[in-house]
């Protein structure tokens, strides 16, 4: 009988658990503070290195030769002669072809486009430039946001003019 009481008390304590030993509930304290996240920064793209093409506008207009200047009056006087001695009917197209043949050993190739196509190409180039600038601004924005106080800098577009003349 004594064993039954001990087992009953132990069973009662096991079932009730710690409910007999009640403690006052603790207050939960919620603290919010920013956590700095380490984000791997992408390498900024190198600057775009564009080369400026040369465009030639050639017409079949006849070349009007300049007259020599009078040294005293410094005005053009055709009686003194002409600066350039072009043959009669010599055009800008003829001069262009002769200059290119001299420059490239007699080889000549033409690449042409209409004015409308040139305007389209110009528009496309501006669109590419705009897109690259905006993409650069987005990258710089996100870098500034994630880096913090450091200035990420800007994306540069470098255009070099070739000096082959």
């Amino acid at each position: 009988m004594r064993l039954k009481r001990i087992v009953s008390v132990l069973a009662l304590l096991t079932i009730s658990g710690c409910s007999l030993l009640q403690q006052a509930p603790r207050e939960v304290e919620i603290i919010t503070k920013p956590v700095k996240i380490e984000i791997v920064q992408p390498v900024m793209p190198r600057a775009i290195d564009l080369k400026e093409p040369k465009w030639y506008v050639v017409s079949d207009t006849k070349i009007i030769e300049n007259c020599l200047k009078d040294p005293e009056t410094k005005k053009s006087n055709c009686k003194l002669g002409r600066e350039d001695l072009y043959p009669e009917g010599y055009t800008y197209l003829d001069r262009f072809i002769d200059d290119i043949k001299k420059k490239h050993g007699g080889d000549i190739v033409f690449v042409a486009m209409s004015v409308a196509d040139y305007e389209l190409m110009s528009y496309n180039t501006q669109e590419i430039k705009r897109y690259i600038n905006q993409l650069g601004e987005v990258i710089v924005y996100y870098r500034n946001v994630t880096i913090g106080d450091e200035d990420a800098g800007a994306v540069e577009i470098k255009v070099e003019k070739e000096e082959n003349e």
Side-chain angles (χ1 to χ4, degrees):
M1 182 116 145
R2 196 167 205 209
L3 188 57
K4 272 187 176 181
R5 277 189 187 181
I6 293 175
V7 171
S8 297
V9 170
L10 282 176
L12 184 62
L13 283 175
T14 304
I15 292 172
S16 64
C18 296
S19 64
L20 298 176
L21 309 170
Q22 286 192 355
Q23 292 181 334
R26 286 194 270 163
E27 283 189 35
V28 176
E29 189 175 330
I30 300 173
I31 300 174
T32 305
K33 60 181 177 179
V35 177
K36 186 171 182 174
I37 300 171
E38 290 296 321
I39 299 175
V40 177
Q41 295 299 319
V43 176
M44 293 295 282
R46 68 176 176 77
I48 295 175
D49 187 16
L50 301 176
K51 305 293 184 208
E52 185 175 332
K54 292 182 183 178
W55 293 91
Y56 300 97
V57 179
V58 182
S59 71
D60 59 355
T61 304
K62 292 181 182 173
I63 296 176
I64 300 172
E65 294 187 59
N66 295 323
C67 298
L68 292 174
K69 291 184 180 178
D70 188 353
E72 294 175 4
T73 63
K74 299 200 182 202
K75 291 184 178 179
S76 294
N77 187 348
C78 290
K79 292 178 185 174
L80 297 174
R82 307 259 183 204
E83 285 184 18
D84 303 314
L85 297 174
Y86 294 116
E88 186 69 31
Y90 197 70
T91 65
Y92 286 101
L93 177 61
D94 297 328
R95 186 174 77 175
F96 175 76
I97 290 172
D98 290 344
D99 290 345
I100 293 296
K101 283 182 179 178
K102 283 180 196 173
K103 195 184 252 186
H104 299 287
D107 295 331
I108 187 163
V109 173
F110 284 100
V111 177
M113 66 173 52
S114 69
V115 174
D117 288 334
Y118 176 77
E119 289 173 354
L120 181 63
M121 184 184 68
S122 176
Y123 172 79
N124 290 342
T125 303
Q126 288 303 316
E127 280 296 297
I128 291 169
K129 185 177 176 183
R130 178 201 54 78
Y131 175 76
I132 290 170
N133 284 332
Q134 289 178 348
L135 183 63
E137 289 171 7
V138 169
I139 291 171
V140 168
Y141 168 78
Y142 281 113
R143 285 180 58 94
N144 284 336
V145 167
T146 57
I147 289 175
D149 294 336
E150 296 178 39
D151 186 20
V155 176
E156 292 182 26
I157 297 178
K158 184 173 87 175
V159 178
E160 291 183 9
K161 294 182 180 180
E162 287 191 26
E163 299 174 21
N164 290 349
E165 293 190 28

